[in-house]
Amino acid sequence: MEHHLLCTFSSLLLLFLFLFSSIPVTSQFPFGSNKQAHNYSNVSCVENERQALLQFKHGLIDESNRLSSWIGEECCSWEGISCHKTTGSVLKLDLRNTVPFDDSDDDYFKNCLGGQLSPSLVNLTNLRYLDLSSNIFSGIQVPAFFGLLKNLRYLNLSSARFDGEIPHHLGNLSHLRYLDLAWNSLSIKDLGWVAGLSSLEGLVLSKLNLTAAQDGLQSINMLPSLTTLDLNACELFIHPHLSHVNFTSLAFLDLSLNKFNNYRAPPWLRNLTGLHDLRLGSNSLFDSIHGLFDQMTCLVHLNLSSNHFCNASSLTYLDLSWNNLQGSIPSEIGQLINLTYLDLSHNNVQGSIPSEIGQLSKLTNLLLTRNSLNGTIPTNLGQLTKLQAFDVRSNSLTGVLSEDHFAKLRELKYLDLTGNSLALNVSSSWVPPFQLQEIWMQSIIVGPRFPAWLRTQNELEVLDMRNASISGAIPSWFLSKNKSFPLGLYLSHNFLAGHIPQLQRVLSVLALNDNRFTGTIPEDLCKSENLSELDLSNNLLSGRVPLCLGNLRDLQYLFLANNSLSGQIPSSLGNLWGLSYLHLNANKFVGKLPASMQHLSNLLIFDVGDNGLKDTIPAWIGEKLSELMFLRFQSNNFHGPISDTLCQLSHLQVLNLAHNNLSGFIPRCFNNITAMVSGQDGGLAIESQQSLQDIKGGREVEYDASSLELVKSLSLSANNLVGEIPDEIMELVQLQVLNLSQNHLTGKIPDKIGNLKQLETLDLSMNELFGAIPELI
Ligand SMILES: *[C@@H]1O[C@H](CO)[C@@H](O)[C@H](O)[C@H]1NC(C)=O
Ligand SMILES: *[C@@H]1O[C@H](CO)[C@@H](O)[C@H](O)[C@H]1NC(C)=O
Ligand SMILES: *[C@@H]1O[C@H](CO)[C@@H](O)[C@H](O)[C@H]1NC(C)=O
Ligand SMILES: *[C@@H]1O[C@H](CO)[C@@H](O)[C@H](O)[C@H]1NC(C)=O
Ligand SMILES: *[C@@H]1O[C@H](CO)[C@@H](O)[C@H](O)[C@H]1NC(C)=O
Ligand SMILES: *[C@@H]1O[C@H](CO)[C@@H](O)[C@H](O)[C@H]1NC(C)=O
Ligand SMILES: *[C@@H]1O[C@H](CO)[C@@H](O)[C@H](O)[C@H]1NC(C)=O
Ligand SMILES: *[C@@H]1O[C@H](CO)[C@@H](O)[C@H](O)[C@H]1NC(C)=O
Ligand SMILES: *[C@@H]1O[C@H](CO)[C@@H](O)[C@H](O)[C@H]1NC(C)=O
Ligand SMILES: *[C@@H]1O[C@H](CO)[C@@H](O)[C@H](O)[C@H]1NC(C)=O
Ligand SMILES: *[C@@H]1O[C@H](CO)[C@@H](O)[C@H](O)[C@H]1NC(C)=O
Ligand SMILES: *[C@@H]1O[C@H](CO)[C@@H](O)[C@H](O)[C@H]1NC(C)=O
């Protein structure tokens, strides 16, 4: 009894305290961390509230038993509960699932609460903080009674899979400061209710479909205290005209992926003079846009003495990526002295990088990928002591980068220069100030020597120096460092010679193709158990393929083409069940295809052409390798009939059995290869850069990976095939290449050959065909 009275009294005191206390704003979301949450295990909880919590728990599904502590009298010490220090009244209910989201990880889903939300919650009359985020309340709506939790300051319902309409009752929460509804499948037709949230400072609605909430922005404009507004990916129509901007206190504004009138930035953006963080990415994928860039130049053409216009020097974060911004980066950018993050990637920015960029001493990320920047990179880039990521991939920059360009880049971790006409000229004794994790320098002139400064880099995870004009041997120190994290190493298309070096390091990708390596494939390679791609093609390697390659169970891409590798294809390769690309062509392999290869059921591309293999076409190819899109046996010693089983390869786009000793009839079932019959198939993306070869028009042409999708080709030429050309071949209407030449085919050319409208090459020469040539069209 006494206890109860105390509580009531204290509740009043509490209310009093709330009204006159101000919560210090330390981070973007001051309530977001758990730091202020305390379990006061020595205060007694209010019985009525304890009952309310128990009833609330009763409605929940709690698979992982997160709420196992919700027993006994002391509800203030229960998991997720915080009470007032003296009154014991529940202030905070934090049931956020803190296991990081991972689609493939059961832990996350197990830890999710679900079920029903009991209205008993309204008996927690002092509740200020409610976090139900990252749980799974699918099938239920946000309850209207939340609108009765009058004292709420913080309400986080993000990523909780709520459905249905959002109840307008939430608009009654006039003390609410933070509202996060992001990542739910709520349908929101009207945002009018937010105008009631007169204390709101942070509103997060990202990933909600606000297409139907036409006046949404006007409603949000009723909130003068707003400092944080996150409308990322809301498809909201962003009004170009607001009669008066109320939310001038905005510090954080994310309008990425919305709908801008005429693809222009609204002029009222200029009135947001306190912006720290502005994100306008991905808003104009299709149209040309001047407005946004005008807006940006407005932001940087600021005049520090006039404070009404574009006072953007407070900006710390500016993301304008994936738009269609034109024009050049103005030199005034140097005045954005607090800028830490600048992302202009994927636009059409022209001109050069102004040297004033060197004044942005706080810059950590400078991301300029895929624009039309030209000229040289200014030397004072090297002054950016905080820079962590510099990315200018795919521009038209020219010139020579010297040690000065990197002079003070102590923090640099990510460097991407790929796709520019740049050269790197540093001394052989250079010790860079940085420890890079990723180096992307494809087609940059780095050679002629192997860069000695790489010796100083101990944190490398990716090194891409393809086509970098590097000659000579890879020095022994390079791969000798024993590092636990795997390295992706791309050194293709250089002039590297000597033996493939001994490896101490584990690798995830090793691409040494198109060099001049000699000797054998070292067995060391097999230590890299995580290797997913091995490309040694187009070198001068000889000897046998090490049996232990079959231990590399993660291998997806194995390219050994165009070497002088000999002996039998090791049957251990049949262990590589994840393999999707296998190129063994243009070597000196002999013997049969190992039967173990029938286990390679994920193979898309299988090329053993131009070897000395002597075998019949094994039935398992058609029966087991059912994903195959590309099969090439050309120029070997395959003999016997063409097995009908090949017709089971319905995804096959290229079948090349030319220049073998195959005999018998052409199977009548090729019309079962649906990829050659219908245009629907072949949508599979081919990712590898490895080029593919086939016979087209009598000469070798290279099909690069991107064009394979389109190629449909059947070549059986230079064998001993007899009989007539089956009518079924004329159903392969997608064929671009049909080569049956140099066989002993007899009879007439089928009339229906005119069906093959896609044909670019047709070769039936050197057979024993007779009769008239049918109309081809
Ligand atoms: C809401 O919770 C999520 C995690 O579930 C968190 O990432 C987000 O920052 C929270 N929102 C606010 C406004 O604190
Ligand atoms: C509860 O514990 C805190 C910290 O240990 C202490 O400061 C406070 O005086 C205690 N209150 C009561 C009522 O015992
Ligand atoms: C709130 O508490 C009162 C008093 O214990 C009780 O009668 C009422 O049913 C509770 N309300 C809800 C919705 O649980
Ligand atoms: C709360 O909001 C709803 C819907 O907007 C409204 O009908 C109701 O009267 C409000 N209740 C209070 C107590 O303000
Ligand atoms: C968003 O909602 C509108 C209707 O309000 C609908 O037409 C549109 O397809 C939705 N967009 C997405 C991505 O679901
Ligand atoms: C600005 O906010 C005030 C107070 O919420 C409101 O009365 C006024 O209509 C708002 N102005 C505009 C243009 O929305
Ligand atoms: C922006 O600020 C200027 C200068 O203070 C003012 O004249 C103008 O009305 C404001 N625009 C809006 C949309 O609030
Ligand atoms: C830059 O940041 C500093 C520290 O946060 C701040 O004191 C200063 O006012 C900012 N400068 C501008 C121009 O906003
Ligand atoms: C850069 O491109 C612009 C046109 O976009 C051109 O006017 C200028 O001459 C070029 N500068 C250099 C150094 O190539
Ligand atoms: C490379 O740098 C050295 C020393 O600074 C210089 O002598 C040489 O001319 C430079 N080479 C190129 C191609 O810029
Ligand atoms: C190799 O780099 C040079 C520039 O150094 C470039 O012109 C050429 O196109 C690149 N070749 C390939 C295949 O990328
Ligand atoms: C070709 O397809 C037909 C119908 O799907 C099937 O009956 C036949 O067995 C197939 N022939 C071969 C050789 O796969």
Side-chain angles (χ1 to χ4, degrees), residues 38 49 56 97 172 204 275 446 500 539 600 656 680 683 730:
H38 296 292
E49 299 193 359
F56 184 68
N97 174 9
N172 292 340
V204 182
L275 276 184
V446 174
I500 289 174
N539 277 294
L600 302 180
N656 184 344
Q680 262 79 60
M730 304 309 142

Side-chain angles (χ1 to χ4, degrees), residues 249-466:
S249 308
L250 273 183
F252 175 98
L253 178 59
D254 189 345
L255 295 177
S256 309
L257 285 159
N258 281 290
K259 297 180 198 161
F260 284 82
N261 187 45
N262 271 332
Y263 302 100
R264 280 166 189 269
W268 50 260
L269 266 187
R270 300 174 182 194
N271 289 49
L272 306 179
T273 52
L275 276 184
H276 288 298
D277 189 322
L278 176 60
R279 306 178 190 209
L280 296 176
S282 306
N283 280 309
S284 164
L285 296 171
F286 307 111
D287 207 341
S288 118
I289 167 166
H290 311 286
L292 262 176
F293 195 62
D294 286 349
Q295 192 57 47
M296 197 196 78
T297 47
C298 158
L299 288 172
V300 295
H301 277 294
L302 56 115
N303 180 347
L304 289 174
S305 60
S306 87
N307 58 7
H308 77 279
F309 216 54
C310 302
N311 185 7
S313 55
S314 60
L315 269 185
T316 60
Y317 192 109
L318 182 58
D319 177 4
L320 300 174
S321 61
W322 293 93
N323 283 296
N324 202 351
L325 306 180
Q326 322 276 333
S328 57
I329 305 175
S331 57
E332 287 84 348
I333 192 144
Q335 294 171 28
L336 300 182
I337 52 165
N338 277 348
L339 209 55
T340 60
Y341 187 101
L342 178 60
D343 189 352
L344 300 178
S345 351
H346 297 270
N347 279 292
N348 194 16
V349 180
Q350 292 150 351
S352 56
I353 301 174
S355 64
E356 285 78 4
I357 210 96
Q359 296 164 16
L360 302 179
S361 59
K362 297 182 181 173
L363 208 57
T364 60
N365 293 68
L366 180 53
L367 310 176
L368 304 171
T369 321
R370 244 177 230 291
N371 278 289
S372 307
L373 294 166
N374 62 7
T376 58
I377 296 178
T379 319
N380 53 8
L381 178 79
Q383 301 306 306
L384 300 177
T385 51
K386 296 276 176 11
L387 200 64
Q388 293 167 15
F390 180 59
D391 186 351
V392 289
R393 177 184 281 256
S394 302
N395 279 285
S396 304
L397 297 164
T398 52
V400 178
L401 292 171
S402 66
E403 292 174 21
D404 292 344
H405 284 91
F406 303 99
K408 295 183 184 165
L409 303 187
R410 291 186 283 271
E411 303 291 328
L412 199 65
K413 296 288 171 211
Y414 184 97
L415 176 62
D416 192 343
L417 304 173
T418 292
N420 290 285
S421 301
L422 294 168
L424 182 67
N425 181 16
V426 294
S427 85
S428 59
S429 58
W430 184 44
V431 178
F434 47 66
Q435 287 289 337
L436 290 174
Q437 287 167 357
E438 295 188 30
I439 299 178
W440 300 92
M441 291 196 186
Q442 188 182 347
S443 299
I444 304 302
I445 299 175
V446 174
R449 296 254 184 80
F450 193 87
W453 57 271
L454 285 178
R455 191 170 195 163
T456 65
Q457 301 298 297
N458 296 317
E459 295 176 16
L460 275 187
E461 287 164 22
V462 178
L463 174 63
D464 182 355
M465 289 189 175
R466 282 175 279 186

Side-chain angles (χ1 to χ4, degrees), residues 644 647-648 669 672:
D644 271 6
C647 302
Q648 297 175 27
C669 59
N672 273 17

Side-chain angles (χ1 to χ4, degrees), residues 81-98:
I81 308 289
S82 301
C83 296
H84 188 268
K85 270 185 203 177
T86 49
T87 66
S89 190
V90 175
L91 301 182
K92 177 166 176 176
L93 179 50
D94 179 0
L95 297 180
R96 179 190 295 191
N97 174 9
T98 51

Side-chain angles (χ1 to χ4, degrees), residues 172-191:
N172 292 340
L173 299 174
S174 58
H175 293 298
L176 202 63
R177 296 195 185 160
Y178 293 90
L179 176 60
D180 191 341
L181 298 173
W183 293 89
N184 283 295
S185 40
L186 298 167
S187 103
I188 300 189
K189 302 205 176 78
D190 173 18
L191 273 178

